[in-house]
Amino acid sequence: MGKFLLLAFRNVFRNRRRTVMTLLMVGCGVAGLLMVGGFFAFMFQGLRESTIHNGLGHIQIFTAEHFNRDEVHVLDTGIDDWRKVAATVQTVNHVRGVAPRIEFYGMLSNGVKSSVFMGSAVDPDAERNMGFSPLLAAGRDLNRHSSGDAEALIGTGVARSMSVKVGDGLTILAVTADGALNGIDVQIVGIVNSGFKDMDDRYLRIALPAAQRLLQSSRVTNLVVGLDATENTDKVAASIVPRMSDLSQPMVVRKWIDLAAYYKQVRTLFGGIFVFLGVIVFVMVLMASVNTLLMTMFERTREIGTMLAMGTPRAWIVALFMVEATVTGMLAAVAGVVGGNLLGVLLNASGLHLPPPPGTTVEMHFRVLHVASLMIGSSLLVIVSLALASIVPAIRASRLQIAEALAHV
Amino acid sequence: MDEIVSVEAVTRRFPMNDDQTHNLVSALSDANLRVMAGEFLAIAGPSGSGKTTLLNLIGCIDEPTTGRILIEGVDTSKLSPGRTSTLRREKIGFVFQTFNLIPVFTALENVEYPLLVQGVGARERGKRAAAALESVGLASRAGERPDLLSGGERQRVAVARAIVHRPALVLADEPTANLDTHNATQLIDLMRDLNRSLGLTFIFSTHDQRLLEHTPRIVRLCDGQVVSDSGDGGNNG
């Protein structure tokens, strides 16, 4: 069997120019998949981390009621004793910090113009400790211990539509937990550009005490948990769940992936695009390889006839062609992985930027991640493609009429 | 002496072009031949006389249109393709006009090939292939690939390959056609020596009159018909 494999291996290099061309073609396919897949992986990673650090956090804790019924009044389903819950979570390994949040909505007014907002109230210090900071286009972040009017961050779209800037005052109107209308004055200290236009057109952020004063409630909507690394999310979530059972209010622990609908949509979309590219590469390799292998079979007709005349089982001829194609696929995969990674290193070093993706306003870095699973997957794809491509030539070779094959010129 | 080949009223017709039923051309007509074990037999005749067709039929790489061929008493027309392949693998050695060595194998590996197909272990294969190469005087060229060997050397490697598994029958189709007179004579002498020393049966085709002088039995073909047989089925070795 070793000698038979040796024969297959040597046959691969019989026509070196053609083999090099095949390796180049298939290798380019692998390298292309690594480039695209590596860039998508970078994009997914970037989107994941920005989603988490722009405020989603790694884990969020809600009351069970939050998902079971709609709120009649704001904070109806909020967490009562959130300090106790936060203290419980804070003791879990890998937890970097716990921050309370209030999600609310209402109207903004500067006396001349009004606009609706989707607001969040945060503990600025806790957010900063977890590395969650808003993307400021102007001004500064919130300061929890400021004197005078409460501070506010607004989105670039809000600032534009209301013609306000850092230092200007605004009045926030919202319905309290009791259903009454309430208002507070705030001073704009910063303008945020999240990169998502729809969000920036409705963005408002104030400090937690101001929101509690506005909404007339000591509750919070949820607790956001920041971890030392995203990879620890599952482990930490599993540790938190049993600790929630002692609390008076039933709690629900949600991981970031459960809450990141946009991230999941993007991933599904680009995953589909990648599969489509994979299919194209598969078909290209298949078609081109069938042609090359048929040519090889034609050139070796007399040799195959000789082997058959000497009593070589026809199955061996099939196996020979398939092994040759598989070896070619393996070499092409190695060439593609090496070439793709080198190209990735070069492109990463070039500092290339891409225009802002649709719906965003920030241009993207072009980076290619070196993903092991992608290398293995792409390699397997071309190896299988070549092995499949060899089936037709292999069967045709094995079915040659010996006398005719020996007379082949 | 045992009968090794029996060709009984064999006819082989080929269709002209792609027409499988009409316009058949006859390459061999009603041929009869008996070959005994240990014979050294030449099939002679001009080009197109049916020499290759007869050898192909005896070698079980083609099937007669009518008639039958027996190898060691086995009717080859009744064998399945798999059994026919086994018969060729075990009983027959082939030498071709254009040598037909596997170009990516060395001389030794080419000689090993029939043993590889038979499933002989690597060590035994190497030993027997080296001995076969030694017997054709090419032990020193064992590691060379065919493209580095002369025509005569290549054909001797082909002979070593044909005899390495000790077949009952060695078939050589125009083995000297691509060799000069010196190499051709050497090759025929080599085959004759192997025939004598190992008792191998050789059947080879040629239209070279000079080579026939070394051959004890000559079967002459003309237009697909056996026109003479100098040995008449006996052992002239």
Side-chain angles (χ1 to χ4, degrees), chain A residues 137-156:
Chain A
R140 60 167 174 81
D141 196 2
L142 299 175
N143 183 354
R144 194 177 187 215
H145 305 292
S146 61
S147 55
D149 283 349
E151 296 180 342
L153 298 178
I154 58 169
T156 49

Side-chain angles (χ1 to χ4, degrees), chain A residues 46-62 97-103 120-123 126-128 130-135 141 192 194 196 199 203 205 222-227 254-257 259-260:
Chain A
L47 184 61
R48 181 188 76 181
E49 292 305 314
S50 71
T51 302
I52 290 167
H53 288 94
N54 284 346
L56 188 69
H58 293 99
I59 291 169
Q60 291 197 9
I61 300 168
F62 300 85
V98 183
R101 290 261 179 86
I102 297 174
E103 306 295 336
S120 62
V122 300
D123 177 344
E127 299 276 335
R128 260 193 296 278
M130 292 193 292
F132 300 173
S133 47
L135 297 165
D141 196 2
V192 170
S194 69
F196 297 95
M199 185 184 281
Y203 186 93
R205 174 182 273 209
N222 59 343
L223 292 171
V224 178
V225 183
L227 307 181
R254 288 283 154 92
K255 290 180 274 191
W256 69 271
I257 189 73
L259 302 165

Side-chain angles (χ1 to χ4, degrees), chain A residues 10 302 306 308-309 311-312, chain B residues 88-89 94 98 100 104 109 113:
Chain A
R10 286 186 188 162
R302 194 191 298 181
T306 305
L308 289 169
T312 307
Chain B
R88 281 199 308 272
R89 184 157 66 229
F94 292 92
T98 48
N100 293 16
V104 294
E109 287 165 342
Y113 188 79

Side-chain angles (χ1 to χ4, degrees), chain A residues 221-241:
Chain A
T221 309
N222 59 343
L223 292 171
V224 178
V225 183
L227 307 181
D228 53 1
T230 306
E231 288 68 31
N232 294 325
T233 304
D234 289 342
K235 195 163 55 180
V236 175
S239 303
I240 291 174
V241 170

Side-chain angles (χ1 to χ4, degrees), chain A residues 1 3-4 6-7 10-11 14 302-303 306-314 316-317 402-403 406, chain B residues 56 60-62 85 88-89 94 96 98 100 102-106 109 112-114 116-117 125 145 161:
Chain A
M1 188 49 71
K3 194 66 85 179
F4 191 69
L6 183 68
L7 174 63
R10 286 186 188 162
N11 276 334
R14 202 158 157 164
R302 194 191 298 181
E303 184 181 316
T306 305
M307 292 167 81
L308 289 169
M310 287 192 289
T312 307
R314 289 184 188 269
W316 283 36
I317 303 295
I402 301 172
L406 288 171
Chain B
N56 284 349
C60 303
I61 56 179
D62 196 8
S85 184
R88 281 199 308 272
R89 184 157 66 229
F94 292 92
F96 302 97
T98 48
N100 293 16
I102 297 171
V104 294
F105 269 172
T106 63
E109 287 165 342
E112 271 186 59
Y113 188 79
L116 176 72
V117 178
R125 254 190 353 245
R145 290 204 182 172
R161 181 177 68 180

Side-chain angles (χ1 to χ4, degrees), chain A residues 21-38:
Chain A
M21 289 308 291
T22 306
L23 294 182
L24 270 177
M25 181 194 71
V26 181
C28 282
V30 174
L33 284 176
L34 292 186
M35 287 294 98
V36 176

